Amino acid sequence: MSRLRKGYLRALLSRTMRALRCVPACVLAAAGANAAHAQGGGISFPPPSPALVEVLGQDYLSESERAAIRVAHGLWEDADLDSPAHRASAALIRGDYLDPSLSDVQTPAIDRAEGLLRRGNPAEALRLLRETESLRGLRLLAEAHIDLGQADLAKEVLLRATAMVAGGEVADGNELAEGVRCALMLTRYAPPREAGVIGHQRMLEHLARARDELDRFSWRAHLAEAWLLYEKDRYEEVAKAVEGVMSLNPRSAEGLWLWGLVCVDTFDFPRGEAIAARLDELASPSPSPWAASLRAYVRMRQAEGVQAGEQLAEALRAYPDHRTLRTYQAAAAAAAFNFEEAERLLASFDELVPGSPAALLGVGKAMSGARQYEEAAGFLRRASERAPHWCEPLAELGLSEFQAGRNEDAMEALERAAALDPWNIRVANSLALLKELAGFARVESEHFIVRCKPGGADELVAREMLGTLEEIFVRVTGNAPGGIDHVPPWKTVVELYPNHRMFGVRIVGMPRLHTIAAATGPVIAMEAPREGPGHTGAFDWRRVVQHEYTHTVTLSRTRNRLPHWFTEASAVYLEDAPRDYSTLQLLARASETNTLFDLDTINVMFVRPNRQTDRSQAYAQGHAMYEFMIERFGHASPLELMDLYATGVREQQAFARVLGVGREEFLEQFKVWMREKLGGYGMLPTPMNPSLTQLLAAEGVKADEAAGAARPGAVLLQPEGADEPPPEARPRQVTDAHIERWLVEHPENPFVLGVKVRAVLAQSGGKATEESIELLERYARVRPVDPLPHRALAAYYIDVDQLESDRAVPHLEFIDAREQHSPAVAVELSRRYAATGDFSRAMAKATRATQIAPYDPLLREFAATISLRAKDYDAANRHITALTVLEPDRPVHRQRLEALSRLRGTQ
C-alpha cells in the first residue's frame, strides 16, 4: 500500500487539519447583520413590450383607438373603462366574473357567455353561443358542453374548429391561437390518429404563425402556447411563454393562474402564494376563484387538507358551481382523509357534470401527493376510464404507481400515456427510467432490496449496503426509545442512482431536485455518494437512509396520516446523531426571544417559511419536542399518537388522550424543558451563568443599552457552518477589561469564555497555543456543544503529539459524530486507534470513512491496510476486491488479492 502511505494520508491529514482550523473568514460586523429574509415569494413582471408601447404612442391613433388597445392588452386606465364592453373585457382579463358589465345587454354576447361560463352557468352560455362562428366562440361553446358533461357534443364543436385551422383560412393571430386551444382540447376526446386531430408539432407551427406573422402583439398566442406546453409538463418553456403573455397583457389572470400552477407543481410555494395574492388584487372587489384554487393546491401539496378546504370557502360562496373550485373542494376533502365527504362531493360534481373525469383526476392527484397510493390508483383509474384518450389521468396513474414501487403497473400506465402523448416530458423521462430500471441489478437481504446499475462500482456498493441496512432495520423498527415498533409488510426497495439527474427524474419526473435521497413509501431513492461531475458529492448515506427509512416505517404504521412536524421529528430523532451547533443556536435564539413556533405554525414553516432560518428551526424544534415527549411522557407516547393519527384523530384530541395535556400545555411545558436544556449546554443564561447583558446590568448599565448592537469595528467570529451569531456576541459597552475581570469573577461562565476564546483564536490565526489550552478545555467543558474548541484542540494535539497519543481523540470523536460529508476525521481517528493497537475502533472508523465515500479507492486502500493489521481478512478481502472494481486498470490489486488468499490459506 505504498502509494497510499506516501501520498494520500499526507493529503488527507492536510484536509483534516484545514477542517480543524476552526476560525472561519466569515464575520458579523453587527449583531443584526445576519437578519433573516423571507424565502422567495416575490413575483417580478416583465416590462410591457416596447413595441406595444411604441404603437400606443403613434400619432395616427385616435384616443378611442388607443383606449381600445390599452383595454385589450391589460394596460387600461380608469378613464378607458367608459363603456360596458370595455368594462366587460377588462373584467374577463382580470378574473372578476361577477362584474355587472358581464350581465349588461350592451356587452357583446361572446363576452357575456364567457362570464356565464366562469360563473358556473354553462347552460345559459350555450344559449348565447348557438350561432357563433368565431374560433373563440367555438372554444367557449366546447367548454360549455364539457361543463355540462356533453363530451360528444364538445368533440363535434372542436372538430369544426380544427377543420378551420387545418384549412389555412384563419388570418387573425388571436383567432388562430383560439383554434390551437381547440385542437389541444380535442386531444382529450379523440385518439391521436383520428381525422381532424392536429399533432403537437403542427400546433406549435400554427402558434408560431399566429405570433410571428399574423399578430406580434397577440398575447392570446403566447397563452395558447403556455397551455400547450403545460399539457406536456414542460415547465421551463411554460414560464417563458407566460412571460410573453405578461409582457403583452400584465393583468392577465389566466396567465397568472397558469404560472401559479407551474410554481406549485414544482414546489415553489412562496411564489405560488404571491401569485394568488396578485390574482385577488386583480379580481377585487370579487373573490378570485383562481387565487382560492391556487391556495388550496398549495396546502394540499403541503399535506394540509383541512386548510386547503378552508381556502375555498369564500370563493365557493361567490361561485358555487365553478368547476375548478368544486374539483379542488373534493380533492381537499380527500387530502384531509375525509373520504366519505370526498365521495359525497364527487357524487355532487357528477350531478353537475355527468361523466366528467375532472374531479376524479383532482382527487387522484391529491391522494398520490399524500402517498395514499391505493386510493390514488382507484380514483385515477376511474378518471382514465371516463377519458380513455386523455393522457393526464394515465400519466398521473403511472407516476403514482412508480412512487409506490409497483413498477410493472407504472410501466403499463406510462406506456399507454406515451402512446396518447409522446411529447409529455415527465412521461417520457419516467418511462425511460423505468425501462432502464428493468435492467438494474438486484441484491436482496431479509428486509431490503437494493437496485442499481449492473456491474461496476454501483453494484459493489449496493452489496455492501445490505448489512448496514439490516442494522438500520433493527433500530428503526424496534421498540427502543424512538423506535417505531412496527415492521412494514413489504421489503423496502432502495434504489441507488448513478447520478443526480436520474435521481431527480425518479422523484419528480424531472432531472433537477435539491436533495440526495427521498422516501416515497415502500421505495427509498438515493443518489450515489460520490464526487465528480453530475454528482452532489460524498455523504454519510447511513444517516441519510436511516432518516428516510423512518419515513417508510411511519408511513406504514400510520398510512402517512401524521402532522408534518411529527413526521420529520421522528425521522431526525432516529438519525441517532447529536445536534449541530447551528441548530442549537437557532433554538437558543428562539427560546430567548419567545419565537418558538406553535403547533400550527411549525407545520407551515417546513414548506412555507417566512425567513431563511424558519425551515431549519422547524426541523430543530420538532426534533426537540419529540425528544421532550419521549423523556417526559415515555417512549411509547409517540407510538400511541401515531395510532390515533392513523384513525383520523386530530392532534388536540390525540394529545389529550395520550399525554393528558392539550397542545398549548404541551408547548408551555416544552418551552420550560428546552430552556433548561439550553441552559445546561451553556447556550442560555442561568442564575449561575448570567449573560453579558445581565453582567452589565449588574454593574448599573441599563438593560436596553446592554441589548444594543456590537461595538463599531468589533469582529465576531463564528464556528464554521454556523448560521446565527454566537450567543456571546458582545454588547457595545463590553470592553476587554470587562472580559478580563469577569473571567476572574465568573471563570466558568460560557458567555464570557466564548468571547475570550474567539478573541484569543483570532489573535493566533485560528490556532491553539500552549498558553490557550486550559482556556479552550474549560470552554469546551462549560459549553459542551460548540465545536470551536474541539477543532482547535484537535488540530493542536495532532501538530504536537505523536500518533500514539490519545489527547486529540475525544475532540476528533466530537467532530466526527457531527460530520456528514467528509471522511477525513474518521480516517485520522482510525490511524490513531491503530497506532495504539485498538483495532476494533480503528476498523469501525475505517468502515465509517468508506461508507461516507465508498467510491474513493484511496480510502479503500487505507481500510484494507487497517483490516490487514487487525487480521480481519474478510474485511481486507472486501476492500481489495472493491479496488479491483474501482481501479480495474491496476493489476496490483489482483496481485494483492492473490497474496491475501495465500495468507489466509496459511492461517
Side-chain angles (χ1 to χ4, degrees):
M1 308 292 174
S2 59
R3 179 166 66 103
L4 174 68
R5 285 197 295 269
K6 288 181 179 176
Y8 184 59
L9 280 180
R10 284 197 296 272
L12 193 57
L13 180 58
S14 175
R15 286 162 54 193
T16 306
M17 296 296 288
R18 287 199 301 273
L20 297 173
R21 302 305 184 203
C22 43
V23 180
C26 64
V27 298
L28 293 174
N34 199 34
H37 299 282
Q39 290 191 352
I43 52 174
S44 59
F45 299 95
S49 162
L52 178 60
V53 173
E54 183 180 349
V55 166
L56 284 168
Q58 296 301 311
D59 293 337
Y60 61 79
L61 291 175
S62 68
E63 190 50 42
S64 62
E65 290 171 329
R66 210 173 264 114
I69 293 172
R70 285 196 293 263
V71 170
H73 288 274
L75 296 169
W76 62 79
E77 302 164 2
D78 287 346
D80 296 331
L81 305 181
D82 55 0
S83 69
H86 278 187
R87 289 194 293 275
S89 180
L92 289 174
I93 286 172
R94 63 187 179 84
D96 178 7
Y97 310 117
L98 301 177
D99 190 282
S101 64
L102 289 169
S103 301
D104 195 309
V105 293
Q106 297 181 61
T107 295
I110 194 168
D111 288 345
R112 283 185 282 141
E114 183 168 352
L116 286 164
L117 264 178
R118 300 298 170 249
R119 291 198 295 274
N121 191 347
E124 284 299 306
L126 276 179
R127 186 178 60 81
L128 294 175
L129 293 167
R130 291 290 184 193
E131 306 301 322
T132 188
E133 294 295 332
S134 73
L135 282 165
R136 179 188 170 207
L138 290 176
R139 174 176 65 83
L140 295 173
L141 181 60
E143 287 187 16
H145 283 306
I146 290 168
D147 283 356
L148 289 167
Q150 300 166 350
D152 290 342
L153 294 176
K155 181 178 175 181
E156 291 179 11
V157 173
L158 294 171
L159 284 168
R160 282 172 54 196
T162 57
M164 293 168 63
V165 172
E169 57 192 80
V170 184
D172 179 87
N174 284 332
E175 278 288 279
L176 186 53
E178 294 287 359
V180 171
R181 292 188 68 170
C182 289
L184 178 59
M185 291 167 62
L186 181 60
T187 62
R188 300 182 178 186
Y189 302 97
R193 291 181 176 79
E194 182 173 319
V197 174
I198 298 174
H200 172 75
Q201 200 60 43
R202 189 69 178 128
M203 284 190 238
L204 288 175
E205 291 170 2
H206 286 305
L207 288 172
R209 177 170 174 259
R211 183 186 61 236
D212 302 333
E213 297 178 22
L214 297 179
D215 185 355
R216 62 195 176 112
F217 300 128
S218 173
W219 58 268
R220 294 181 187 274
H222 290 277
L223 183 60
E225 182 180 21
W227 279 117
L228 174 59
L229 294 168
Y230 184 70
E231 189 90 359
K232 315 302 177 186
D233 293 329
R234 297 177 177 269
Y235 298 130
E236 291 185 3
E237 296 171 68
V238 174
K240 292 178 183 178
V242 170
E243 284 184 9
V245 175
M246 304 311 292
S247 71
L248 294 167
N249 187 343
R251 286 185 169 113
S252 171
E254 189 175 1
L256 283 169
W257 159 240
L258 177 51
W259 189 7
L261 288 175
V262 170
C263 290
V264 184
D265 283 349
T266 55
F267 302 95
D268 188 351
F269 302 135
R271 188 166 282 111
E273 292 276 5
I275 291 170
R278 174 61 176 157
L279 285 164
D280 271 335
E281 180 184 342
L282 286 171
S284 180
S286 302
S288 166
W290 310 123
S293 298
L294 202 56
R295 290 194 180 96
Y297 184 27
V298 166
R299 280 149 186 80
M300 281 189 283
R301 295 285 270 179
Q302 296 169 339
E304 299 172 0
V306 173
Q307 294 90 333
E310 293 168 352
Q311 296 298 317
L312 299 166
E314 181 186 3
L316 277 167
R317 285 192 292 271
Y319 296 97
D321 291 331
H322 194 283
R323 272 51 171 177
T324 299
L325 287 171
R326 294 281 291 270
T327 293
Y328 279 106
Q329 184 185 29
F337 308 121
N338 190 343
F339 294 113
E340 184 177 341
E341 176 66 2
E343 288 290 358
R344 186 192 71 78
L345 291 169
L346 285 171
S348 175
F349 189 90
D350 222 32
E351 291 176 5
L352 189 68
V353 193
S356 171
L360 287 167
L361 174 61
V363 171
K365 290 173 67 174
M367 289 295 87
S368 179
R371 299 178 181 175
Q372 308 295 299
Y373 298 121
E374 293 294 337
E375 289 83 357
F379 288 118
L380 293 169
R381 286 194 176 97
R382 287 164 62 186
S384 181
E385 288 165 2
R386 291 187 173 191
H389 303 303
W390 189 11
C391 170
E392 187 173 358
L394 282 170
E396 293 296 338
L397 174 61
L399 293 167
S400 181
E401 293 294 85
F402 195 4
Q403 301 291 37
R406 297 190 283 262
N407 289 9
E408 291 182 3
D409 292 336
M411 179 82 78
E412 179 188 1
L414 289 172
E415 284 181 337
R416 290 171 59 198
L420 293 172
D421 186 0
W423 297 94
N424 186 292
I425 193 167
R426 275 202 308 159
V427 169
N429 284 342
S430 298
L431 191 55
L433 181 57
L434 263 172
K435 290 177 178 177
E436 188 162 358
L437 274 175
F440 266 30
R442 170 188 174 119
V443 296
E444 195 165 344
S445 64
E446 184 178 357
H447 299 103
F448 293 90
I449 297 167
V450 183
R451 294 176 178 153
C452 64
K453 286 184 75 71
D458 285 350
E459 188 169 350
L460 165 81
V461 171
R463 293 185 183 281
E464 290 185 336
M465 290 174 68
L466 291 174
T468 302
L469 288 171
E470 290 296 336
E471 293 173 3
I472 290 171
F473 169 85
V474 171
R475 173 64 179 110
V476 174
T477 65
N479 61 3
I484 308 303
D485 197 17
H486 172 80
V487 177
W490 57 68
K491 282 193 176 186
T492 299
V493 176
V494 179
E495 293 173 347
L496 179 65
Y497 286 93
N499 54 53
H500 186 74
R501 184 185 186 282
M502 288 184 69
F503 166 70
V505 170
R506 174 63 178 88
I507 298 303
V508 296
M510 304 295 282
R512 294 184 180 89
L513 185 67
H514 302 296
T515 187
I516 51 178
T520 63
V523 177
I524 298 172
M526 62 176 284
E527 179 185 342
R530 68 191 307 175
E531 305 290 342
H535 301 284
T536 302
F539 59 89
D540 182 356
W541 72 260
R542 175 175 185 145
R543 179 173 173 178
V544 169
V545 171
Q546 191 154 317
H547 178 109
E548 298 302 333
Y549 185 59
T550 303
H551 287 317
T552 293
V553 178
T554 55
L555 183 148
S556 174
R557 180 162 181 155
T558 69
R559 302 192 67 207
N560 201 37
R561 298 174 185 180
L562 288 170
H564 197 147
W565 79 264
F566 200 91
T567 300
E568 295 299 340
S570 62
V572 176
Y573 185 92
L574 272 169
E575 289 178 23
D576 290 333
R579 290 183 180 86
D580 290 335
Y581 186 53
S582 59
T583 66
L584 286 166
Q585 288 176 299
L586 279 175
L587 289 171
R589 182 174 292 267
S591 291
E592 195 164 31
T593 58
N594 197 29
T595 53
L596 287 167
F597 301 132
D598 62 43
L599 290 175
D600 290 321
T601 304
I602 191 171
N603 291 315
V604 177
M605 291 301 103
F606 283 102
V607 286
R608 205 160 59 249
N610 295 319
R611 303 171 302 162
Q612 286 181 333
T613 55
D614 281 347
R615 184 178 285 110
S616 296
Q617 182 182 324
Y619 274 100
Q621 182 181 329
H623 178 200
M625 290 194 298
Y626 200 84
E627 180 183 340
F628 164 70
M629 184 182 293
I630 289 173
E631 186 176 305
R632 178 66 54 85
F633 301 100
H635 74 263
S637 57
L639 307 182
E640 294 172 17
L641 286 172
M642 288 182 192
D643 292 339
L644 290 177
Y645 294 144
T647 65
V649 177
R650 301 296 297 276
E651 191 171 57
Q652 177 69 17
Q653 292 73 33
F655 270 36
R657 287 167 61 176
V658 174
L659 308 181
V661 298
R663 298 197 311 164
E664 293 76 13
E665 176 61 23
F666 171 85
L667 189 63
E668 289 308 310
Q669 290 186 22
F670 163 72
K671 289 178 179 178
V672 174
W673 176 89
M674 189 77 259
R675 288 192 64 87
E676 291 174 354
K677 282 280 186 182
L678 291 167
Y681 295 151
M683 301 292 289
L684 285 182
T686 67
M688 292 293 293
N689 291 310
S691 68
L692 302 185
T693 298
Q694 292 169 336
L695 288 169
L696 278 175
E699 297 189 0
V701 180
K702 291 182 180 179
D704 57 346
E705 294 176 7
R711 295 173 300 157
V715 176
L716 304 178
L717 298 167
Q718 291 181 241
E720 189 173 11
D723 297 319
E724 295 286 329
E728 62 279 358
R730 59 163 83 178
R732 69 170 66 90
Q733 294 91 344
V734 173
T735 66
D736 291 343
H738 281 115
I739 297 299
E740 295 304 324
R741 185 172 73 255
W742 290 338
L743 275 175
V744 175
E745 297 170 356
H746 305 276
E748 302 288 308
N749 185 299
F751 303 98
V752 177
L753 281 167
V755 171
K756 180 64 175 179
V757 161
R758 282 169 171 77
V760 167
L761 289 175
Q763 292 168 3
S764 61
K767 295 182 179 181
T769 62
E770 185 175 355
E771 293 74 20
S772 64
I773 294 301
E774 188 278 331
L775 181 72
L776 289 164
E777 290 181 338
R778 189 173 4 139
Y779 177 55
R781 186 173 62 255
V782 300
R783 183 172 284 157
V785 293
D786 190 345
L788 178 67
H790 297 284
R791 288 194 181 108
L793 289 165
Y796 175 80
Y797 290 134
I798 289 172
D799 275 340
V800 303
D801 286 353
Q802 297 295 317
L803 191 60
E804 293 78 7
S805 171
D806 63 357
R807 291 198 297 175
V809 167
H811 306 292
L812 291 169
E813 286 283 10
F814 179 98
I815 298 162
D816 190 47
R818 292 154 179 79
E819 179 56 59
Q820 297 186 58
H821 297 283
S822 171
V825 178
V827 168
E828 180 61 24
L829 279 165
S830 181
R831 292 176 68 241
R832 290 184 171 269
Y833 285 132
T836 62
D838 188 346
F839 284 106
S840 175
R841 287 191 173 93
M843 286 289 295
K845 290 300 177 180
T847 298
R848 170 165 162 73
T850 59
Q851 282 183 338
I852 293 174
Y855 295 86
D856 189 331
L858 298 176
L859 285 178
R860 295 289 188 162
E861 285 203 40
F862 173 77
T865 300
I866 296 295
S867 302
L868 288 169
R869 293 178 62 190
K871 294 184 170 54
D872 187 338
Y873 298 133
D874 288 340
N877 184 76
R878 177 166 61 85
H879 292 301
I880 298 173
T881 300
L883 284 164
T884 66
V885 176
L886 296 170
E887 296 183 325
D889 56 339
R890 297 193 68 218
V892 66
H893 299 317
R894 294 285 179 192
Q895 296 166 11
R896 288 169 177 160
L897 272 181
E898 293 168 3
L900 178 59
S901 179
R902 290 193 297 271
L903 177 63
R904 298 174 80 177
T906 64
Q907 298 300 307

